[in-house]
Amino acid sequence: MNTLNALKMICRRQFSLSTMSRTSMLMQKNLLYPCQNSITTILPMTSLFQNHMRTFQRRIHSKDSSQPPRMFMEVSSKNKSVRLLNKLKTERQRRKAEVIRIEGLQMISAAMENKWLPDFILTTNSNKDAVLQLVERFDPKQKIRLLSSTEDVVAMSMKNSRLQSMVAFGPQPNTSSPGSFLRKGADSTPPIHIVLACQDPTNMGSIVRTAVAHGMRKFIVWRDACSPYNDTTIRTSAGAVLSANFVAHDRVPDDVFHCATLLGACSHEGESLTDAFIAAEELWDSGKHLRTEEEERQHCILLVFGHETKGLPRDINGLMRKVHIPIDSAVESLGVAAAAAILINHLFTTTTSSTSSTSKQLQ
């Protein structure tokens, strides 16, 4: 009975009276009759007490003591939420619902660091603590619903069985409006945006990751391109697609393309990137007195990466200057992701150095 009184004292300090009374009743039943299936009766009591202790520790370490402890809802394969998540396993259904899915602790963490907040996280009992540590960092208002189930149920909602058993579902980030591609001022350096027509999600994810790393976060997605929120795209980009802004090409006015410096990556023809960029900017500056202020605001640099087999988009093929990367003749061509990495870095370095030199001259 000493053990029972000690546990009562701890529970009285830490939990509500209703929770304590339920715990006390179970402990009385288990301790007063230890001879009846002693192992099976003691284990439920121990497990319940450990769960209460974890909840209490989370309360102590929580920044906002007024917030109730986070709770997982135990679900089965017949649960409505689980059945809905299983339907969203296919990309077609997720596109209709405008929902994205992210698997594994590392990728979910990277996505939430990019300010994406899921609606659901489904995980196994063994991964509860890892999920709690994650959501307490990024979700202080407790908007995320936490579900837990068996390994088999979680595996039904996952595509990659090698990742840690947890999957998150949430809304697609808001896409950019065409107006967000305008420059802030007529005298500012023209921004650099990316036009994507590649069909392979691995290539798209790699290009987005490279572009975001160089401060380029706005993308125009062509009609034949894959979805930027494809599972593979999200994973290859390490969550960078969630911090980028995408707009479908048919929502972009024609004026944007006519007022832009278009540089198209080409395998076997074209000029060097530096020559093409300087020539295009000189041509633009020479006609400055003929343009309106609105046209000046629409001026930007569009770096175009085409389809893996079809090449550059035909709709704007006549508007762009083709850029070629010189390579050894023994190699037929570079992959679109490799070419994008070289061109983005080179263009970023060129524009950064020209901006810094201009600012020094003004000083």
Side-chain angles (χ1 to χ4, degrees):
M1 295 298 292
N2 291 335
T3 305
L4 177 62
N5 291 333
L7 293 177
K8 275 185 178 181
M9 189 176 298
I10 293 172
C11 289
R12 189 176 292 113
R13 290 177 182 175
Q14 299 163 7
F15 307 104
S16 64
L17 182 62
S18 60
T19 305
M20 185 199 71
S21 60
R22 289 197 300 272
T23 308
S24 175
M25 290 174 62
L26 281 171
M27 289 190 293
Q28 285 181 9
K29 180 179 179 181
N30 290 328
L31 288 176
L32 291 176
Y33 304 98
C35 297
Q36 299 178 358
N37 301 324
S38 58
I39 294 179
T40 56
T41 52
I42 292 296
L43 280 178
M45 180 208 72
T46 307
S47 176
L48 183 62
F49 178 69
Q50 287 175 345
N51 287 336
H52 284 334
M53 284 301 294
R54 289 195 194 99
T55 304
F56 175 65
Q57 288 171 356
R58 288 197 296 273
R59 282 187 183 180
I60 291 296
H61 292 96
S62 175
K63 293 181 180 178
D64 184 4
S65 58
S66 64
Q67 289 281 5
R70 292 182 181 273
M71 302 295 291
F72 278 87
M73 186 172 82
E74 296 285 342
V75 294
S76 66
S77 58
K78 297 181 180 180
N79 181 272
K80 288 184 178 180
S81 298
V82 174
R83 287 158 63 186
L84 173 63
L85 298 183
N86 288 338
K87 288 182 180 178
L88 295 174
K89 191 174 181 179
T90 62
E91 185 179 352
R92 184 177 179 182
Q93 292 294 335
R94 290 197 302 276
R95 278 194 180 188
K96 285 183 179 179
E98 296 185 345
V99 169
I100 59 176
R101 179 192 65 182
I102 301 177
E103 301 178 358
L105 178 63
Q106 185 177 358
M107 282 306 308
I108 296 173
S109 177
M112 294 177 74
E113 284 176 359
N114 284 305
K115 299 181 180 179
W116 176 76
L117 207 63
D119 292 328
F120 294 90
I121 296 181
L122 174 64
T123 187
T124 57
N125 294 325
S126 59
N127 290 318
K128 281 183 177 180
D129 291 338
V131 172
L132 284 173
Q133 291 177 7
L134 180 64
V135 297
E136 283 172 359
R137 283 174 55 200
F138 298 106
D139 183 32
K141 295 183 180 179
Q142 301 192 10
K143 294 182 178 180
I144 303 174
R145 289 185 61 186
L146 303 179
L147 310 176
S148 64
S149 190
T150 61
E151 290 277 357
D152 295 338
V153 173
V154 178
M156 288 170 61
S157 297
M158 292 188 65
K159 191 175 180 180
N160 193 340
S161 58
R162 294 176 296 177
L163 296 175
Q164 203 166 353
S165 296
M166 61 182 70
V167 56
F169 292 83
Q172 287 184 5
N174 292 327
T175 56
S176 293
S177 64
S180 67
F181 283 76
L182 300 179
R183 297 165 66 186
K184 293 182 179 179
D187 296 326
S188 61
T189 304
I192 304 170
H193 308 316
I194 310 293
V195 178
L196 294 171
C198 47
Q199 193 178 36
D200 188 341
T202 304
N203 287 333
M204 178 173 281
S206 299
I207 295 172
V208 171
R209 185 174 184 177
T210 303
V212 170
H214 289 80
M216 307 171 194
R217 297 179 179 271
K218 294 183 179 179
F219 300 84
I220 298 175
V221 183
W222 219 252
R223 69 171 69 88
D224 293 331
C226 68
S227 169
Y229 302 117
N230 180 285
D231 289 346
T232 307
T233 308
I234 295 172
R235 187 171 63 253
T236 309
S237 71
V241 295
L242 301 174
S243 65
N245 299 316
F246 298 93
V247 61
H249 86 283
D250 54 3
R251 294 186 60 219
V252 180
D254 292 337
D255 293 344
V256 173
F257 295 109
H258 287 285
C259 294
T261 298
L262 277 83
L263 303 174
C266 232
S267 302
H268 303 289
E269 58 179 318
E271 47 196 326
S272 71
L273 178 63
T274 304
D275 293 342
F277 173 70
I278 292 173
E281 287 302 290
E282 287 177 352
L283 181 63
W284 178 264
D285 291 337
S286 65
K288 190 172 185 178
H289 63 285
L290 300 174
R291 288 188 295 271
T292 64
E293 185 178 343
E294 182 65 21
E295 288 174 334
E296 282 293 325
R297 288 184 65 236
Q298 289 182 343
H299 179 49
C300 62
I301 300 169
L302 294 180
L303 197 53
V304 185
F305 298 103
H307 194 278
E308 287 84 351
T309 55
K310 298 178 182 178
L312 296 169
R314 292 182 180 179
D315 305 29
I316 54 175
N317 199 13
L319 301 174
M320 70 179 73
R321 302 181 75 100
K322 294 178 181 176
V323 178
H324 173 60
I325 301 174
I327 57 174
D328 192 283
S329 58
V331 180
E332 182 183 356
S333 64
L334 292 173
V336 65
I342 295 171
L343 293 176
I344 288 171
N345 180 265
H346 192 84
L347 188 58
F348 175 79
T349 306
T350 303
T351 53
T352 304
S353 60
S354 63
T355 304
S356 60
S357 63
T358 303
S359 61
K360 286 180 181 179
Q361 290 175 1
L362 293 174
Q363 290 175 358

